[in-house]
């Protein structure tokens, strides 16, 4: 792997972790608990488009594990991994299809992240009652996905990364 690519990936991982920390310090702006913008996904979507899907997976998993160790719990790690795996799978498939915009890919990632977390909650809590929370999370995933997608699209267009 080229030195420049390693440096770009390290910067993206650091940015994702910093954005996760910043977001954890922002008080909830909606009445629905657990709703977040997912600022760290700016780095993941950027890497997906600039470096590739394997690199995006690495950045996402590094962020999930480090942020869970630093700011979360063992249980939050399970929720984050479930959301990240489902989100990345959807985003990679949509990007490979080359039919969808960066915003559409990001929205898919935001929604699937929430679906993955609800699925994990149903599994861990051994109940399906929590699935009724999903419509609220889907709406927040769409809104957050649009915001993240717009920012990532601007970065993809303006930041020149040749590795």
């Amino acid at each position: 792997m080229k030195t420049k690519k390693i440096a770009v990936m390290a910067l993206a991982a650091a940015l994702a972790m910093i954005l996760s920390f910043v977001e954890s310090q922002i008080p909830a702006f909606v009445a629905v608990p657990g709703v977040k913008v997912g600022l760290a996904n700016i780095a993941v979507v950027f890497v997906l488009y600039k470096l590739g899907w394997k690199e995006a997976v690495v950045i996402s998993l590094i962020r999930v594990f480090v942020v869970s160790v630093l700011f979360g719990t063992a249980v939050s790690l399970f929720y984050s991994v479930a959301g990240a795996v489902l989100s990345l799978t959807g985003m990679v498939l949509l990007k490979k299809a080359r039919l969808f915009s960066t915003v559409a890919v990001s929205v898919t990632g935001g929604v699937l992240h929430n679906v993955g977390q609800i699925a994990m909650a149903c599994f861990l809590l051994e109940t399906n009652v929590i699935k009724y929370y999903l419509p609220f999370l889907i709406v927040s995933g769409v809104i957050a996905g649009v915001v993240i997608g717009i920012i990532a699209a601007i970065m993809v267009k303006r930041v020149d990364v040749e590795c």
Side-chain angles (χ1 to χ4, degrees), residues 51-95:
L51 300 180
W53 72 269
K54 292 176 187 175
E55 292 81 0
V57 168
V58 168
I59 298 305
S60 182
L61 292 179
I62 286 172
R63 181 198 58 87
V64 164
F65 285 110
V66 172
V67 168
S68 290
V69 167
L70 293 176
F71 314 118
T73 64
V75 176
S76 69
L77 176 63
F78 288 118
Y79 291 122
S80 294
V81 168
V85 168
L86 196 56
S87 172
L88 281 166
T89 302
M91 290 193 303
V92 167
L93 292 174
L94 259 62
K95 183 188 177 286

Side-chain angles (χ1 to χ4, degrees), residues 6-62:
I6 293 170
V8 170
M9 289 180 66
L11 286 171
L15 176 64
M17 288 182 278
I18 290 166
L19 290 173
S20 288
F21 174 73
V22 167
E23 187 169 17
S24 74
Q25 301 303 303
I26 299 170
F29 55 90
V30 293
V32 182
V35 171
K36 294 184 178 182
V37 178
L39 295 174
N41 289 319
I42 295 169
V44 175
V45 174
F46 174 79
V47 169
L48 176 63
Y49 276 86
K50 285 296 197 175
L51 300 180
W53 72 269
K54 292 176 187 175
E55 292 81 0
V57 168
V58 168
I59 298 305
S60 182
L61 292 179
I62 286 172

Side-chain angles (χ1 to χ4, degrees), residues 66 103 156 159:
V66 172
V103 174
V156 166
V159 177

